[in-house]
Amino acid sequence: MRVSSIVSVLSGLHATSCVAADDSWPWQTYKSSAFEPPNLKITKSGPTAPGYLFFDQSWDAHQYSVFMMSDENELIWQSPFGDLKDFRVQMLDGKPVLTYFNGIGIPEPFGWGYGIIQVFDQSYQSIYNVSLLCDNYTAVGTVDSSSFVSWLDIHESTMTSDNTMLLTGYNVTRADLSSVGGPKHGWIADSLFYEIDVKTNDILFRWSAKDHVDQISLEDVQPFYPINDWGYNSSAPYGYFHINSVEKFQDGSFLISSRYYCSLFKIAKDGTVDWTLQGQTGGDFSLDGVNFAYQHDARIQEETEDKLIISIFDNANSDVENGTDHTEGIFMNVNMDKKKVTPFRLLDDSSDEIFSVSMGAVQALPGDHVLIGYGSNPKFKEYNADGSPVMTVQFGEDGVVSSYRAYRHPWVGIPNTAPDAFACNDASHNTTNVYMSWNGATEVKEWKVFGGITQSGLPPVGVAPKTGFETRASVKGGLKYVRVEAHGRGITTGVSKTVHVQAQC
């Protein structure tokens, strides 16, 4: 299926998944653009790492989009509307690209999705759609999947240095649940992960939790996610495993995180389970000063032959158990010789205790800074090398808005689209007010304004330094037509359409 066809079909799915917006949180508006990003509540107490803030909005958000914003609450780039997740910068062929999930999200108590992963270049052009077109999938029974063109899930889209991507999927299928008190001919949401070639969509590796119940038994998950009344039909499948992240070891094996087993698993290249790190009992390890539950975003930070440093977002809360232990970012030493796990860094803000029941991420930054996105809580925080919070950002009402993951990345964007302009006459001051913006343009230093009483041969009438996402310039006299030009490093286009000046501001 062609790229345009995939995007068209998935755009139709967005309307079914986006709920009515809650408008209690303030948002920003512009004259030259229809974008309405959240008004970030930013508290800073120290220097932060370089880069912009990357996040999505869901639940009852004012606008379903992904956002790139600055520490100064300025929009840098906003996507078109959609149920989009996991927005970040990654490397492809040695060049930075943007990636995010685009599809339909199935809300809790399920918490997965169906869609594609889009890859964009530095001009914001979609260059690849990573998709899973056929693997005998069945959707949850409450969803009409007749128009689905890809079955990839929201939980993972990590690029490797081999130009492959690690991805997850959820397949509703039959399973024998009698060993845990469920129906013999029951239904589960099987968790799968893949390694897929970004450019060809070829499946290079496939793993299914259902295929390995001999090593990861249904009995082991009962203390953390009991079967109760799940599994009797395809509309209420037992989603016992709930995979939510995938990483790759140097030897080609994989580290995966299971939310409901409260466990990390090392999966060998033949698909077997090498070891289990269980957050409450230890599994194949002993725990000394570390425990976790219902975690997300397990990442390999350092790897040697006998030692690992793994970071996780420790939710410690879920739809099963919540309000007991606060959420934190954990970096843990995993001693492979002694099979012992000890803390390396434990990150939380004692002045702002958070209990996240789902989602979330931990990102290691330069200078030993760490950015934590709190998932179901509409916040992210940056911690410095001493473990002190130096920035807190809130973008919605607690319990109303969420973000699957948040990141900080440097980024240079030079769009191949034209800037936007709006102008209106202020007769009382005999001026024309000109508003100009260029979604995604990071290199603009100044704007040149051209105006006149006819559309052709517009002379220069003003210059204004860029002051934010939208820059305003006041030009003497009553103009009828205006166009603007963006100037800065690497910009060779950056010319807006000629716009008619509105009669009054």
Side-chain angles (χ1 to χ4, degrees), residues 17 83 104-114 139-140 142-143 148 154:
S17 60
D83 197 350
I104 176 173
I106 310 301
E108 299 288 357
F110 302 113
W112 62 78
Y114 307 104
V140 63
T142 55
V143 173
F148 282 14
I154 64 175

Side-chain angles (χ1 to χ4, degrees), residues 172 183 186-187 230-238:
V172 176
W187 293 88
W230 294 107
Y232 285 89
N233 57 66
S234 65
S235 295
Y238 184 36

Side-chain angles (χ1 to χ4, degrees), residues 237-313:
Y238 184 36
Y240 69 97
F241 193 91
H242 200 103
I243 190 170
N244 56 32
S245 69
V246 186
E247 281 271 279
K248 199 170 185 180
F249 287 99
Q250 294 171 3
D251 65 0
S253 59
F254 301 90
L255 177 72
I256 65 173
S257 168
S258 164
R259 177 182 182 184
Y260 290 133
Y261 277 91
C262 303
S263 296
L264 311 182
F265 300 97
K266 183 180 181 183
I267 306 301
K269 288 183 286 187
D270 64 1
T272 58
V273 179
D274 274 354
W275 50 252
T276 302
L277 171 51
Q278 213 284 334
Q280 301 295 297
T281 67
D284 295 322
F285 297 83
S286 63
L287 304 178
D288 184 3
V290 177
N291 60 75
F292 56 88
Y294 306 111
Q295 78 292 330
H296 284 72
D297 199 37
R299 302 295 166 196
I300 304 166
Q301 300 294 342
E302 292 185 23
E303 178 183 359
T304 63
E305 186 175 344
D306 58 356
K307 178 184 175 182
L308 297 170
I309 296 180
I310 296 175
S311 65
I312 60 168
F313 180 75

Side-chain angles (χ1 to χ4, degrees), residues 345-397:
R345 298 183 75 183
L346 303 177
L347 298 170
D348 69 284
D349 185 351
S350 60
S351 66
D352 183 21
E353 201 168 52
I354 296 175
F355 296 81
S356 292
V357 298
S358 61
M359 303 179 282
V362 172
Q363 180 194 14
L365 296 171
D368 289 330
H369 280 224
V370 175
L371 187 77
I372 298 182
Y374 287 89
S376 59
N377 292 72
K379 287 183 179 180
F380 33 96
K381 291 177 180 285
E382 184 169 330
Y383 296 83
N384 66 14
D386 296 331
S388 301
V390 292
M391 182 185 72
T392 297
V393 178
Q394 185 156 1
F395 53 90
E397 297 284 353

Side-chain angles (χ1 to χ4, degrees), residues 10-30:
L10 290 174
S11 295
L13 294 175
H14 297 152
T16 66
S17 60
C18 299
V19 297
D22 178 277
D23 289 338
S24 60
W25 190 267
W27 63 88
Q28 304 180 49
T29 60
Y30 311 101

